[in-house]
Amino acid sequence: MTTVAENMVRTLRANGIDRVYGIPGDSLNGFTDALRKDGTIRWVHVRHEESAAFAAAADAALTGDLAVVAGSCGPGNLHLINGLYDANRSRVPVLAIAAHIPTVEIGTGYFQETHPQELFRESSVYAEYVADPSQMPRLMEIAMRAAIEKRGVAVLVIPGDVALAEIADDRAVVIPRANPVVTPSAAELEKAATLLNGCSRVTILAGAGVEGAHDEVVALADALAAPIVHALRGKEHIEYDNPFDVGMTGLLGFASGFRAMEDAEALLILGSDFPYTQFYPAGATTIQVDIRGEQLGKRHPLDLGLVGDVKATAEALLPRLKRKSDRAHLDDATAHYRRTRAKLDDLAVPARGKAPIHPQYLARLIDEAAASDAILTADVGSPTVWAARYFTMTEKRRLIGSFNHGSMANALMHAIGAQVARPDQQVVALAGDGGLAMMLGELITITQNRLPVKTIVVNNSSLNFVELEMKAAGFVTYGTDLENPDFAAVAQALGIFARRVERSEDLPDAVAEVLAHDGPALLDVVTERQELSMPPSIKAEQVKGFALYAIRTVMSGRGDELLDLAKANWRQLF
């Protein structure tokens, strides 16, 4: 007799799946035993199901292939939800197998009962309940195809007794990903060309949708004499080998990226869902290209919306463009970028004497010492700021983060999946102290699975970015202190090579040593708590907020905090 679970494993194997992330549980016994008997699919055992989901998201992001995660009934699969939200919002294909309580007990308020298909509805492109063995393998095939073709999460909810039941149809269908070429109509392309040809100052905003279209986008920029501004998720795909690059815009971006958008007469948005409406130019002619028509005009009013993949659309549009001889806008934007870049680099220097280490200096050293094909992950918060500003992309480097969902603690969890997917590449996780502490147990996942992940901790003893947001809004910082352990000592107790650095003079050798270590390693770096990550454009309400924060801080008897803030940031302010 072949069980439903055995057929599920057979289907996964037929589709080239060779690993599943998760934690076992009794409701998953049929599935995990089928994996054991099959012997070709690795069970990647983690210490928290949330980590399994984030790891699967990173795996799928790197390979472009379906990644699989499994969770037991009730709390087990409920722990998956944050990572599945991240995967779904990052548009990567993940299949989640969510075990359920016994079929006869559903609806009785049984031990660990939830309703997973309802819980996962918003974090997936497909979520369905397998109530009877006769629904399989059809629902398995539908779920896999939905995840692959919609580039999102598909959740298959299956009670343990159904997984152990006999299956009538033991087929194993291979589900390849379709590769359609989608371009706008000729009339739409002509209209786009007319608009762009009629504007003298064109700027390109490039997002994650430019993946695989680097050369075509650069060719467009050359013809249009257009600076290329990138959103954070577009950074890894367009920043390298790009003479038209002027950096990021947005809250984490560069002044040069902000200015190139503000000065544009026309804005060409390519594969970007950049959400911050205040950074779009108010009066510019705006054209957007996206493979998903429902995304058009979602963030900013459009003069023309085009449905198409960026590579094919750029190739079709280029011959219709008149090469611009006036390159003043481009020259001005790239010159401004060089000045902005130099100012940012001036901040990435050693601190004086015994002062805490500047996080910019740490990020710069990591960038210089990391492999040219390193996979870099960064925690949400200040580590993402420093990664965005100081990690340099190459054609082979990758940058992964929770850039849409914005979850804390993602760096280490993403690094696990990245290292499993790419065992021969260097994986470096830039973790915040708050993020690492939140999922500290996943250091054990690294050792148990013998993953040579390099974890660099930005240890500022605070929820640093939350503090910055409080200050900008005029609030006295509250509830953000972190009383941290010596993370290096913790790592060493877990069998991980580790170092702790408190002075700038010791940092270069420590970074080099940790990154070169043959095996998992951790570097705990004590950094300046009061370092400000300045946005590219400071609004009046932010100035008002900081002034209010200063007044309230003094009145609350914490004036010494203002002195520390000024001392730490005089380089940026004067």
Side-chain angles (χ1 to χ4, degrees), residues 351-571:
R352 294 181 179 179
K354 296 182 179 181
I357 294 165
H358 296 304
Q360 300 97 320
Y361 182 51
L362 169 62
R364 193 198 91 192
L365 291 177
I366 295 170
D367 181 61
E368 292 172 351
S372 62
D373 64 346
I375 299 164
L376 308 164
T377 71
D379 265 343
V380 165
S382 58
T384 290
V385 177
W386 311 130
R389 294 182 179 179
Y390 293 98
F391 285 176
T392 305
M393 292 296 101
T394 68
E395 187 174 3
K396 294 182 179 180
R397 274 189 178 178
R398 296 296 305 271
L399 178 62
I400 295 175
S402 187
F403 299 143
N404 279 355
H405 186 50
S407 173
M408 280 184 66
N410 65 283
L412 179 59
M413 298 185 289
H414 276 149
I416 290 168
Q419 195 71 83
V420 171
R422 293 285 185 262
D424 297 326
Q425 286 180 245
Q426 184 184 68
V427 177
V428 182
L430 185 63
D433 46 0
L436 179 64
M438 186 178 285
M439 298 301 291
L440 195 61
E442 293 312 305
L443 290 175
I444 308 173
T445 295
I446 287 175
T447 59
Q448 179 164 336
N449 290 282
R450 296 174 177 82
L451 302 175
V453 170
K454 310 300 185 282
T455 305
I456 315 293
V457 188
V458 182
N459 187 348
N460 48 43
S461 298
S462 67
L463 298 175
N464 188 249
F465 201 77
V466 176
E467 286 190 338
L468 177 62
E469 291 171 323
M470 287 179 174
K471 293 168 184 173
F475 293 100
V476 177
T477 55
Y478 178 77
T480 56
D481 292 340
L482 297 177
E483 294 186 9
N484 290 325
D486 181 331
F487 288 113
V490 172
Q492 287 168 347
L494 299 175
I496 296 173
F497 174 81
R499 284 194 59 179
R500 179 180 171 92
V501 176
E502 299 181 9
R503 297 289 177 261
S504 292
E505 62 192 35
D506 301 321
L507 190 58
D509 288 345
V511 169
E513 185 178 13
V514 165
L515 294 187
H517 181 72
D518 185 14
L522 181 143
L523 178 61
D524 184 8
V525 184
V526 178
T527 59
E528 173 58 64
R529 178 173 182 168
Q530 299 294 349
E531 196 81 39
L532 292 178
S533 52
M534 297 290 195
S537 175
I538 299 176
K539 305 294 185 183
E541 58 266 26
Q542 292 170 321
V543 175
K544 179 182 177 182
F546 266 98
L548 202 57
Y549 151 74
I551 294 169
R552 288 171 173 170
T553 298
V554 171
M555 292 181 68
S556 67
R558 290 165 53 185
D560 57 334
E561 184 177 310
L562 289 180
L563 295 176
D564 291 341
L565 184 71
K567 182 179 178 182
N569 294 280
W570 68 270
R571 307 170 304 146

Side-chain angles (χ1 to χ4, degrees), residues 107-356:
T108 69
Y110 190 67
F111 176 65
Q112 294 188 323
E113 181 173 7
T114 61
H115 294 89
Q117 66 272 31
E118 297 175 24
L119 287 168
F120 290 113
R121 190 76 63 195
E122 192 174 295
S123 62
S124 65
V125 296
Y126 179 87
E128 199 50 75
Y129 164 53
V130 183
D132 189 274
S134 63
Q135 294 174 277
M136 296 288 274
R138 188 181 179 194
L139 287 192
M140 177 84 162
E141 295 161 6
I142 293 172
M144 292 173 66
R145 198 179 301 277
I148 292 167
E149 297 301 339
K150 291 186 177 181
R151 295 180 63 184
V153 172
V155 182
L156 205 59
V157 180
I158 181 165
D161 56 295
V162 174
L164 287 167
E166 184 175 4
I167 194 165
D169 185 351
D170 189 29
R171 70 178 187 259
V173 174
V174 176
I175 302 173
R177 180 177 176 177
N179 292 291
V181 176
V182 181
T183 55
S185 68
E188 290 172 315
L189 290 167
E190 288 295 340
K191 185 175 181 181
T194 299
L195 290 173
L196 293 169
N197 287 333
C199 294
S200 60
R201 301 186 311 279
V202 179
T203 295
I204 292 173
L205 173 61
V210 303
E211 180 179 5
H214 176 278
D215 293 351
E216 290 75 16
V217 174
V218 169
L220 274 186
D222 187 26
L224 292 167
I228 299 177
V229 179
H230 58 259
L232 181 53
R233 291 189 64 219
K235 175 181 171 74
E236 62 175 326
H237 306 302
I238 199 64
E239 181 184 72
Y240 66 91
D241 297 340
N242 181 0
F244 306 95
D245 177 53
V246 294
M248 283 176 51
T249 188
L251 297 173
L252 312 183
F254 302 176
S256 54
F258 174 81
R259 179 172 167 178
M261 295 267 285
E262 280 293 294
D263 289 348
E265 184 183 355
L267 177 66
L268 177 59
I269 306 169
L270 300 176
S272 178
D273 189 29
F274 179 70
Y276 302 107
T277 57
Q278 67 269 34
F279 288 95
Y280 286 90
T285 297
T286 305
I287 302 168
Q288 183 178 1
V289 179
D290 203 289
I291 193 67
R292 297 172 294 164
E294 70 272 19
Q295 296 300 110
L296 298 175
K298 188 176 181 180
R299 308 299 181 186
H300 186 71
L302 301 180
D303 294 275
L304 179 63
L306 302 174
V307 175
D309 63 75
V310 172
K311 181 181 175 70
T313 302
E315 288 176 332
L317 180 60
L318 185 61
R320 294 171 162 86
L321 298 176
K322 297 176 182 177
R323 181 177 176 82
K324 295 190 184 298
S325 56
D326 181 356
R327 305 179 87 77
H329 174 57
L330 173 63
D331 292 342
D332 178 70
T334 52
H336 192 275
Y337 171 65
R338 288 190 294 272
R339 293 193 298 272
T340 301
R341 182 72 262 172
K343 290 178 181 178
L344 288 171
D345 291 341
D346 286 344
L347 301 176
V349 294
R352 294 181 179 179
K354 296 182 179 181

